[in-house]
Amino acid sequence: EDEDDERSDDDDDDDSNRNTRKKRKLDVCDWIGCYSDLKQHIDSCPYQLVQCQWCRIKLMRRAHDGHIAECLLCELPCRQCNHNIARIVMNRHLKEKCPMRQVPCARCGGLVVSQRMKDHSQFDCPESLIRCRYRKYGCCMWLKRKDEENHYRSCKDMHLEQVIKKHDEASEKYEEAREKYEHERLNCKDLERRLSEAANEATEKYEEANDKYKSERLKCKDLERRLNEAIDDAD
């Protein structure tokens, strides 16, 4: 019986050694080829050590794709915003960081895309406070967007009075501006007339002075001529 046990242990050791040799054989490249082709083979050899670009761990090339499929630092495109996010923080990104995640509005409770929350609050949220669109006519009311139509219906008479009042004030200002413009236009015409008269007067004086200059010039030439004649007679 002891011999049978020893024989069984020897058989187990032989099986273990065979499995170990088989595993080692599987982990060894059996490529045989020309030395000139070695570099090209190394660049694609499944037993060559390569480095994961994300976690920097070194592993055989044949295991690389399987590792990438599980690597916690590998970046994947977010299914909502399409930004590249590491696998290890993807769930947190989807829940807390993603700009395209659905978040509840603090005012109305409706679900809104995170990056559109500002626009939602400014243009869409029924609970947001807004100014009455008749504020330029004098209505100072602040109201919730959902109450806007009711406000316009209930205050239409007040709004009409405010619009009429603003219209009357604008008409008065228009008349004042028109009268001022007409006054300035007449002043400009009067100034233009006086400038024209001054220009004509200046032109007349210039022509008069020019004629006088020409006359004196002729007299000077005549006097010069007579002096030259007198000088010649004296000689």
Side-chain angles (χ1 to χ4, degrees), residues 148-204:
E148 187 176 14
E149 293 303 322
N150 288 334
H151 169 71
Y152 295 143
R153 281 195 295 268
S154 61
C155 298
K156 61 182 179 181
D157 292 336
M158 180 186 73
H159 290 158
L160 180 60
E161 291 177 1
Q162 291 172 335
V163 170
I164 293 173
K165 181 180 178 181
K166 283 290 182 181
H167 176 269
D168 292 341
E169 291 175 355
S171 297
E172 290 177 3
K173 290 181 178 180
Y174 168 76
E175 287 298 325
E176 291 176 0
R178 190 183 66 79
E179 291 176 0
K180 185 176 180 180
Y181 164 76
E182 188 65 22
H183 177 72
E184 294 298 331
R185 188 179 70 83
L186 293 175
N187 285 342
C188 287
K189 279 197 169 186
D190 182 61
L191 180 59
E192 183 180 356
R193 178 186 58 78
R194 285 186 290 165
L195 285 174
S196 178
E197 291 176 354
N200 292 335
E201 184 179 353
T203 300
E204 291 177 358

Side-chain angles (χ1 to χ4, degrees), residues 1-85:
E1 185 177 344
D2 291 339
E3 290 179 358
D4 291 340
D5 291 339
E6 290 178 359
R7 189 179 298 110
S8 177
D9 291 340
D10 291 340
D11 291 341
D12 291 341
D13 290 341
D14 291 341
D15 291 341
S16 176
N17 290 334
R18 279 196 298 270
N19 290 334
T20 301
R21 287 195 298 272
K22 185 176 180 181
K23 183 177 180 182
R24 287 178 178 172
K25 186 176 180 181
L26 290 174
D27 289 342
V28 176
C29 177
D30 59 358
W31 178 85
I32 299 175
C34 295
Y35 180 77
S36 59
D37 297 330
L38 179 60
K39 186 178 185 304
Q40 182 178 358
H41 167 72
I42 289 175
D43 291 340
S44 60
C45 177
Y47 295 93
Q48 185 70 20
L49 285 179
V50 294
Q51 188 177 53
C52 173
Q53 63 174 315
W54 306 111
C55 67
R56 301 301 179 185
I57 190 174
K58 290 187 176 181
L59 66 163
M60 288 187 181
R61 180 176 280 112
R62 66 178 186 169
H64 180 264
D65 290 345
H67 168 75
I68 289 297
E70 299 177 355
C71 179
L72 294 179
L73 298 183
C74 176
E75 292 187 355
L76 305 171
C78 171
R79 65 174 180 265
Q80 295 184 151
C81 67
N82 209 34
H83 290 169
N84 290 332
I85 307 296

